[in-house]
Every structure is written in C-alpha cells, then in structure tokens.
Amino acid sequence: VSDNGNPGTSKGICPDGWHLATEAEWQNLEIFLGMDASTVLTEGWRGDDEGGQIKATGTTHWLSPNTGATDAYGFSALPGGRRNVDGGFQDLGIEARFWTATEGNTANAWYRGLANASSLIGRNNVPKFTGRSVRCIKDQ
C-alpha cells in the first residue's frame, strides 16, 4: 500500500487518525536530527549519528554493541529485523527496517534502516512483497 507522498491516504496499516510516514516525513526527521539536506536523498547507509539518536538504548532488544544509541527524542526504535524475498526472516536484534508510504515504482517502496553496529540511517528502495516494520505517526 502506498500513498505516494500524500500522508494519510494509505489505509489498513495504521489506526484511524494515524498514518504511515512518507519519504518526505522521514527526510524531515533526518534533517531535524542533523543530516545534511542533500544527504537525505542518497541511498545506502548515510549520515553521522542520526540513527543512534532514534534507537532504543541498551542491549535488552538490540544486540551488542548498539553503537551510538541515545534515544535522544524518545523514538525508541527496536530491531524487528525483516522478511526476505524468499519468505525467511533475519536480523532480529540486529536491524530495524521501517517502510515509508512512498513508492519507488509500482513494485518497490522506500524504507529506512537502523543497525546495532552503526549510528547511521539506511535508505533503500526494495520490493513491496518483502517485510519491514511500520511506524505510524499521528495525523495533524
């Protein structure tokens, strides 16, 4: 399901009054956390410590070393791992991967990633039939 950048038009994922964050909303968060505006448009692992600022601290959920985790703003991202194209699951405790509501094309959508051994934020465009976590935000 994609809203192609129109917050709140994706249905069935988030409760009423909430929506799946768009690519633009993730980019706004990354800029707020200190990422350069030109960097938010790049793919792969990027930034400096922005990912650490939104990861839950400690190693109760994240596997050690949970690099750079400060949870400075109460986002408390947890490492739910992912579902692969073959249907298998991996990276529980190692990575958090969150769908955005924005398609890259009809087959793919953008996501953001965090990792236990990094304080960067990943950005990639992957097949929609894979599995990622979701993070709902309150409608304004």
Side-chain angles (χ1 to χ4, degrees):
V1 174
S2 173
D3 66 14
N4 284 323
N6 299 308
T9 59
S10 293
K11 301 298 178 197
I13 295 173
C14 298
D16 288 342
W18 295 74
H19 67 275
L20 186 60
T22 65
E23 180 67 15
E25 287 170 322
W26 270 99
Q27 291 170 1
N28 287 339
L29 173 61
E30 291 166 339
I31 290 168
F32 171 81
L33 295 171
M35 192 178 291
D36 182 81
S38 62
T39 303
V40 300
L41 300 174
T42 61
E43 293 184 44
W45 293 101
R46 64 241 212 296
D48 292 310
D49 67 347
E50 295 85 359
Q53 292 180 53
I54 61 174
K55 290 193 302 182
T57 59
T59 55
T60 299
H61 302 287
W62 286 95
L63 294 178
S64 185
N66 200 11
T67 302
T70 64
D71 198 20
Y73 300 98
F75 191 94
S76 303
L78 297 174
R82 62 182 163 160
R83 181 178 179 270
N84 295 320
V85 295
D86 65 3
F89 293 88
Q90 71 180 61
D91 295 335
L92 182 63
I94 298 171
E95 290 190 357
R97 295 185 180 216
F98 299 100
W99 282 122
T100 75
T102 308
E103 291 182 314
N105 58 44
T106 57
N108 295 337
W110 291 99
Y111 82 89
R112 290 302 187 285
L114 305 169
N116 70 318
S118 175
S119 59
L120 307 178
I121 298 178
R123 175 181 182 257
N124 284 295
N125 187 22
V126 297
K128 290 186 224 176
F129 60 83
T130 61
R132 307 287 185 263
S133 297
V134 297
R135 189 71 184 226
C136 299
I137 59 176
K138 192 165 181 59
D139 295 344
Q140 293 186 6

